[in-house]
Amino acid sequence: MPRSLRPILDVAAGNLMLMIAIHQDRPCPTNEEIMEWTGVPRGRLNAWFAELEARGILEVQRKGLGPPRRRRLRAVGGSWTGWTARRNKQRRDR
């Protein structure tokens, strides 16, 4: 990662930690919510999560096979969010 992006992503990480604190005992934020709060684009989210895990800032647990996969997050040593809630998409044939 270019050094010029580090301060921007550190601010985004702070926003994510706040979001995780708010979501304790609630479902984990969705990718859309995280993108809205942090400004990190969808294509960068997984790499960003991996970087935060490597730096010892974030823990991510995933279950289920590739999309849709469920996850939960926590600041290292903190409380977990609930598992990501998945909405049932109902098709209307009218």
Side-chain angles (χ1 to χ4, degrees):
M1 172 182 53
R3 285 193 167 271
S4 62
L5 287 179
R6 175 69 55 124
I8 294 168
L9 291 177
D10 284 348
V11 169
N15 289 344
L16 179 63
M17 294 301 113
L18 175 61
M19 183 177 227
I20 290 170
I22 292 170
H23 278 79
Q24 289 175 3
D25 301 321
R26 294 179 47 207
C28 180
T30 63
N31 286 345
E32 288 76 20
E33 291 172 311
I34 292 170
M35 290 183 307
E36 184 178 315
W37 273 60
T38 65
V40 175
R42 180 182 301 277
R44 178 84 176 110
L45 277 178
N46 287 332
W48 183 54
F49 286 160
E51 179 185 332
L52 293 175
E53 285 181 285
R55 291 173 57 195
I57 296 171
L58 177 69
E59 291 181 272
V60 181
Q61 284 188 341
R62 294 175 180 88
K63 69 179 178 180
L65 299 175
R69 185 181 337 194
R70 293 179 52 157
R71 72 159 177 255
R72 64 184 188 165
L73 306 171
R74 74 176 177 178
V76 170
S79 297
W80 289 103
T81 64
W83 290 99
T84 308
R86 296 288 179 195
R87 292 181 217 137
N88 291 332
K89 295 182 181 178
Q90 294 179 349
R91 207 173 117 198
R92 294 183 183 189
D93 294 323
R94 295 181 191 199

